[in-house]
Amino acid sequence: MLKAIQIVGSSSGFVSYRFRKPQPNSAFSLISRKSIITTSETLLLPASQLHSHKSCSRDFRMSSTHSKSSSSSSLAIQSTGNIRKINFCQFCGGPNKHEIPDGEEKVRAICTRCGKITYENPKMVVGCLIEHDKKILMCRRKIHPSYGLWTLPAGYMEIGESAAEGAIRETWEEANAEVEVQSLFAQLDIPLIGQTYMIFLAKLKNPHFSPGPESSECQLFELDDIPYDSLAFSSMLVTLNLYIEDIKVGRPKFHYGVINKRPGTSPSEIHAYTLDFHMQS
């Protein structure tokens, strides 16, 4: 609150909504773990494109244990998104048919009256991982799904705002907290539900916070006291685990990964996933 992978430049500081120039010695490593394959659709990206990307002209290291279809010349990315049937045209209200349009490869909703195609695209969820006195600010949800469970302040990005602005707004709405964004910490794609999470590291401008309309409680947690048994979403579990791993080595990194949820699981089944194509700066 991405038909292609976008590698974000660096974990270098994000201040006033501008990324600083990437450090020349930084590098991404790609860690591929066993995934749950739920669809036959596979997108192949030549590895040479990853190496030659203008904003990431660094070396990549890739483990080829993910899929037999991966090779030294390609990276296989499994698409696990669901196709939702849209019965009526969003433009004229006419009935839709569902078929593959000429020149395309996916089934779309096509209006039988005006002929327009309704496209569905992933939702962008933006939020903040807020550090204060070596503690993390978290909110207990007062809405469904995952009512009563803990999360980082995050929500759907709105039209007309940047990702960082959306993360700041969501933090204010859910925790009545004013924050300053420090850097982009993680981009996590969840193809099964058509969402992409962008989580920013942030600092409190002042030590004041309180529950917003969608929260029943807000609290700063020591790292050892984070309520892992009561987290709302897999994305929050992944984000916090990555953050703690970074703290152990002494510096935050930028992380990209694909969270492949097991089909048929509820949002509260936060351990029913694999983290695939994990890249870190």
Side-chain angles (χ1 to χ4, degrees):
M1 0 154 205
L2 296 170
K3 291 183 179 177
I5 289 181
Q6 180 181 6
I7 309 299
V8 182
S10 172
S11 62
S12 301
F14 187 92
V15 181
S16 301
Y17 309 112
R18 293 183 182 178
F19 285 103
R20 294 176 183 168
K21 186 176 180 180
Q23 299 299 317
N25 294 325
S26 62
F28 284 93
S29 62
L30 176 56
I31 304 167
S32 186
R33 305 178 186 176
K34 185 177 180 182
S35 67
I36 301 169
I37 300 175
T38 59
T39 181
S40 60
E41 181 186 1
T42 301
L43 172 66
L44 295 180
L45 296 180
S48 59
Q49 290 184 11
L50 293 175
H51 285 279
S52 62
H53 196 285
K54 291 183 179 179
S55 64
C56 293
S57 56
R58 308 171 182 84
D59 293 334
F60 285 79
R61 297 185 300 276
M62 182 178 73
S63 168
S64 60
T65 60
H66 177 81
S67 171
K68 291 182 179 179
S69 62
S70 298
S71 67
S72 59
S73 62
S74 63
L75 169 63
I77 297 176
Q78 300 297 332
S79 174
T80 57
N82 290 329
I83 297 175
R84 182 170 67 92
K85 189 173 183 180
I86 304 172
N87 293 319
F88 299 100
C89 176
Q90 65 180 5
F91 302 100
C92 73
N96 283 330
K97 60 181 179 179
H98 293 80
E99 59 184 40
I100 301 176
D102 292 340
E104 298 198 24
E105 298 178 351
K106 289 189 175 183
V107 173
R108 310 287 188 185
I110 307 171
C111 182
T112 58
R113 181 186 298 168
C114 70
K116 290 185 177 179
I117 301 172
T118 299
Y119 290 94
E120 287 193 288
N121 302 105
K123 297 284 189 179
M124 183 72 74
V125 180
V126 291
C128 288
L129 196 165
I130 301 157
E131 308 163 306
H132 184 74
D133 290 339
K134 297 183 179 180
K135 299 177 182 178
I136 300 299
L137 181 62
M138 301 188 69
C139 303
R140 189 191 291 270
R141 289 174 62 83
K142 199 170 69 173
I143 58 173
H144 291 286
S146 302
Y147 182 96
L149 300 179
W150 290 93
T151 183
L152 301 174
Y156 290 117
M157 183 175 167
E158 299 282 0
I159 297 294
E161 66 185 5
S162 69
E165 289 170 336
I168 291 170
R169 172 186 53 76
E170 285 290 340
T171 301
W172 174 255
E173 291 177 356
E174 296 187 5
N176 288 313
E178 294 186 75
V179 296
E180 179 181 355
V181 163
Q182 302 292 306
S183 64
L184 180 59
F185 175 68
Q187 178 181 331
L188 301 169
D189 295 338
I190 313 180
L192 184 66
I193 59 175
Q195 292 182 356
T196 288
Y197 278 72
M198 294 188 72
I199 304 296
F200 295 85
L201 292 179
K203 300 285 187 182
L204 288 174
K205 289 185 175 181
N206 55 66
H208 304 299
F209 56 86
S210 61
E214 297 182 357
S215 305
S216 60
E217 184 180 355
C218 296
Q219 184 175 333
L220 286 168
F221 286 95
E222 300 274 2
L223 296 185
D224 291 338
D225 297 329
I226 291 173
Y228 281 103
D229 294 335
S230 302
L231 293 180
F233 307 110
S234 298
S235 55
M236 299 296 102
L237 176 61
V238 171
T239 299
L240 290 167
N241 281 340
L242 293 174
Y243 175 75
I244 290 175
E245 289 177 8
D246 288 355
I247 291 298
K248 289 179 179 178
V249 299
R251 73 174 184 90
K253 305 173 184 177
F254 168 73
H255 298 268
Y256 170 82
V258 178
I259 298 176
N260 278 319
K261 292 283 289 185
R262 188 164 66 236
T265 58
S266 70
S268 61
E269 295 180 83
I270 62 171
H271 297 284
Y273 75 91
T274 59
L275 177 62
D276 303 314
F277 309 107
H278 176 207
M279 290 179 278
Q280 54 189 347
S281 62

